[in-house]
Amino acid sequence: MRIKLAGVCLIAGTLAAATFARADERTPTAISDIRQETTDRSTRIIVESSGPLAYTYYSPDPLTLVVDIPEVEASKVPARINVGTREVESIRVTNLARADGRNIARLEVRLASLVPYQIYSKGKSLNLVFDRPATAASATPAPPVTAAAAPAEPAPAPAEPPSAPVTAVADVVAHEAPAAAPSAASSPAPVSGPRATRILSVAESQESGQLTVTVKADGRLPYQDFFLGNPDRLVVDFKDVVTRASTRQIEVNQTPVRKVRLGQFSAASPKVARLVLDLSARAPYRIAEAVDGIKILFGEGQEPAPAPLASLRAPDPEPAPVDAPAAVPSSGLQIFTPRPGAGPAPLALPPLPDPQLATQKLEEGSTLGATKQYTGAPITMDFKDGDLQDIFRLFADISGLNVVVNPGVGGKVTLKLTEVPWDQALDLILKTNGLGYSLEDNVIRIAKLTDLQREEQERRKLAEEKALAGDLIDYTRRISYAKAVTISDVIKKAGALSARGQINVDERTNTMIMRDLPSYVQKAKDLIAELDRATPQVEIEARIVVTSRNFTRDLGIQWGFNHEQSPRFGNTTNQSFPNAIIINGSGVPAAGGLSADQRGAASAAGIGAANRGYAVNLPATGFNTGIGVSMGNILGNFNLDLALTALERQGRGRVLSTPKVTTQNNKEAEIKQGIQIPIQTVANNTVTVTFKDAVLTLKVTPQITDAGTVILTLEIENNQADFANLVGGIPPINTQSAKTIVLVKDGATAVVGGIYVSNEQTSQQSTPFLGKIPILGYLFRNRFTTSTNNELLLFITPRIAKG
């Protein structure tokens, strides 16, 4: 058997847990550009990205500003950007990988001089503004300080404060040059010895009346410490170190430390182990180095003061990333908490996926590699008939986890893997041999799938038996607003009834009788309290408005004449031919116009002589106004008859129907009013009578929302019988209806719909050619004009009943 490890393959502690976690399916935010804007007063660094940015910051030394942006990658921008201004020298961009698999983009800004600066997010960009003070040239470097050092005085905010989105971390954060750190005289003497690679343990104790936190390692333990606020925490990072400590969290509860947490903050290079001390109060502290670790001593040599904690030693050149935004106390400056999920995970050991879920995936035969992202260090392995027990021991050394193999797990495996993540290799070996795992703290137990399934079934069965143990109690409840049968069905389906419980319903009194365990009875009580409530009622009022307007104008004309030159009148032409001339302009009968006078013998005496008629007979239809003129000469041989007829009619109508109905929430209601028209049909000598509704109908279902609005499902019909236009003695039905769903505020009125119909008609009769002559043409034509406008509007008003 031989094994070849490629690259860095010994990954410690929590890396195994992080690599078993599911891959984040969200599209990562990426930095697209970093540019600078320089004026005679400041240098602005603008970081553009594809999404909103959350950030933290700290200063490992006065001339360096470190900004960490979690869940962001910076592979699209150069690793180093030379700025070269009086304020900023350069920017170094790096990508870091946390133990939980998330990315961190780090910007290390190297300052050219001690200058005040401002940091704020705006939309999808992060702005770093470095102001140029008047005394910048004479500024002298100050001793190193930690991120907790308070600025001397906040710089003014930008002239136009940025408007941060919901996901932005901060609106405006202003900073001055860092204040001086404590005197270097208190710095501890350097410790010689081999550099540590692993943390072995962490413990708390009392030494000379001082609270002491001791971190043991396998050598000298270089560190970087800094303070975080809101809440107060002291953070100590150990670069190029992994943790093998069995204790990851200690409840101290002694002033000023509440709790101590240890975890692997970064699993990728550079590896960073992190120790976090949750503080109940701020107090001086000192870190003492030894050949096998460090000690953190609180309250030594001075009284506690309400000032930020400060390190008594110079930090390492490259500090580890912080795990939350810092808050600078007592200066009015702050970093707001990032959006949920945007910040780093807790420092406790991240758990592996639920073994039940992992076992279920294996039982279903699903490929975990298709839904997981493997992030372990690549390794190369070559085994022929390698013993599984030895291989699992090897993975314990590679991952830094404790591995326990169940009895009965064994066998041989042959494999050859090249540059495969170690967690994927372990996953493949487990699936190939029908094995699974369970996680207990930082110990992975490997067993057969059947054993894990049986254990889970037994555990679940034991939990069920424990849950069903106990004495049964009785509970009786009279249901007020709902049906007891309905409530009992909901209780059964909602899991508020155990396997030993039973429910009976008395429908006469609408009472539910329940016998079950006390815990299930309490669940049923809570559920009944939520369900047995009065249903609110809604009054719905509809208004149906129908308006109509019509106008008719009809103008007509009738006229005729005759002329006679004959011996009868002693009025001849004195010619042989033509001796007599008769011109008759009354060839059209008088029927349809004004009748002839007939010497007063006619019942409707008109003008002119009988049977004379009119040459132009274009009277108004159904006229109600007329005037006639009949003229003749003294001889009576020339006569002219003229009649003008006219009609004008207009009308207006308005019908308002207001149906109103009240119903409960989510219950349909219907109201109608009108007549039923009988319709007779004869078939096979049998007369059948059916009735057709001609009614006003309102059908509605209201739904009350949490916002106090009402969703209405409406059907409105306004059907009316038209007895003026009978067909076979049966009137047709004029239908007006609407069917819709609308959202209306309580007490407000909404227009559901409307129909507007406009009808205009003009007709004219005339004598060909003559009717087109200007002015004179009026004697040869009539004109009929009609205009009709009908309008339908539907309104709806819901009102929620109060009290």
Side-chain angles (χ1 to χ4, degrees), residues 28 100 102 225 258 260 300 352 364 375 414 490 599 657 746:
D100 56 8
R102 292 185 291 180
D225 61 302
R258 292 188 297 104
V260 177
E300 182 178 53
L352 289 173
E364 296 172 354
T375 58
T414 299
V490 174
R599 300 187 183 275
S657 304
D746 178 24

Side-chain angles (χ1 to χ4, degrees), residues 462-472 500 517-520:
L462 178 60
E464 292 174 355
E465 292 296 331
K466 288 182 178 180
L468 294 178
D471 297 330
L472 302 180
R500 297 177 59 191
L517 296 168
S519 60
Y520 284 90

Side-chain angles (χ1 to χ4, degrees), residues 421-668:
W422 69 264
D423 51 334
Q424 183 179 10
L426 177 60
D427 196 13
L428 291 172
I429 293 174
L430 292 176
K431 289 190 292 185
T432 302
N433 292 272
L435 302 176
Y437 71 93
S438 64
L439 177 66
E440 300 174 8
D441 198 8
N442 65 334
V443 179
I444 293 180
R445 183 169 64 92
I446 298 175
K448 295 180 180 180
L449 285 178
T450 55
D451 293 341
L452 294 175
Q453 294 171 5
R454 184 179 63 256
E455 292 175 4
E456 179 58 26
Q457 292 173 357
E458 292 175 352
R459 184 197 65 79
R460 185 166 55 248
K461 185 176 180 181
L462 178 60
E464 292 174 355
E465 292 296 331
K466 288 182 178 180
L468 294 178
D471 297 330
L472 302 180
I473 62 175
D474 295 325
Y475 173 66
T476 301
R477 173 70 177 266
R478 177 174 294 177
I479 308 301
S480 300
Y481 301 103
K483 295 294 184 182
V485 175
T486 304
I487 294 291
S488 64
D489 292 340
V490 174
I491 290 176
K492 295 175 183 177
K493 295 178 181 178
L497 185 69
S498 71
R500 297 177 59 191
Q502 60 181 5
I503 294 180
N504 295 317
V505 173
D506 181 18
E507 296 185 3
R508 184 182 66 86
T509 59
N510 201 35
T511 302
M512 188 186 69
I513 305 167
M514 181 178 181
R515 182 177 178 82
D516 208 337
L517 296 168
S519 60
Y520 284 90
V521 170
Q522 185 59 44
K523 290 181 182 179
K525 288 182 179 180
D526 297 339
L527 188 57
I528 293 173
E530 290 293 328
L531 298 178
D532 189 24
R533 295 183 177 181
T535 303
Q537 297 187 140
V538 183
E539 177 190 77
I540 302 99
E541 178 181 355
R543 290 185 180 89
I544 305 172
V545 182
V546 180
T547 61
S548 62
R549 289 182 296 173
N550 60 77
F551 174 80
T552 301
R553 175 178 291 168
D554 194 356
L555 299 176
I557 188 170
Q558 296 172 289
W559 62 271
F561 70 95
N562 65 356
H563 175 70
E564 181 178 349
Q565 285 183 271
S566 66
R568 187 164 65 96
F569 291 98
N571 186 12
T572 64
T573 63
N574 298 322
Q575 299 290 330
S576 298
F577 180 86
N579 183 258
I581 299 175
I582 297 175
I583 300 174
N584 187 1
S586 57
V588 178
L594 290 178
S595 60
D597 177 40
Q598 300 181 26
R599 300 187 183 275
S603 60
I607 63 173
N611 299 323
R612 187 182 303 179
Y614 301 100
V616 175
N617 189 25
L618 298 173
T621 303
F623 61 90
N624 55 12
T625 302
I627 183 173
V629 177
S630 180
M631 295 180 291
N633 61 4
I634 193 168
L635 294 177
N637 68 334
F638 180 82
N639 296 281
L640 175 64
D641 300 328
L642 175 65
L644 299 176
T645 55
L647 170 68
E648 183 170 300
R649 181 174 57 240
Q650 63 180 358
R652 294 190 179 190
R654 181 175 181 268
V655 178
L656 175 61
S657 304
T658 308
K660 184 186 298 184
V661 66
T662 301
T663 183
Q664 288 188 337
N665 186 32
N666 291 316
K667 296 294 184 181
E668 183 181 79

Side-chain angles (χ1 to χ4, degrees), residues 146-148 211 213 223-238 256-262 274-287 294-298 308-312 322-323 347:
T146 67
L211 175 62
V213 177
Y223 65 92
Q224 164 67 40
D225 61 302
F226 53 93
F227 175 83
L228 294 176
N230 195 24
D232 293 341
R233 288 157 293 166
L234 174 62
V235 181
V236 184
D237 282 347
F238 307 100
V257 180
R258 292 188 297 104
K259 183 168 53 178
V260 177
R261 295 176 286 143
L262 178 65
R274 169 164 291 181
L275 181 71
V276 178
L277 294 87
D278 296 328
L279 304 179
S280 59
R282 297 176 181 176
Y285 70 95
R286 180 173 65 88
I287 300 180
I294 65 169
K295 290 184 177 182
I296 306 174
L297 300 95
F298 288 88
L309 297 177
S311 171
L312 299 182
V322 298
D323 69 336
L347 293 177

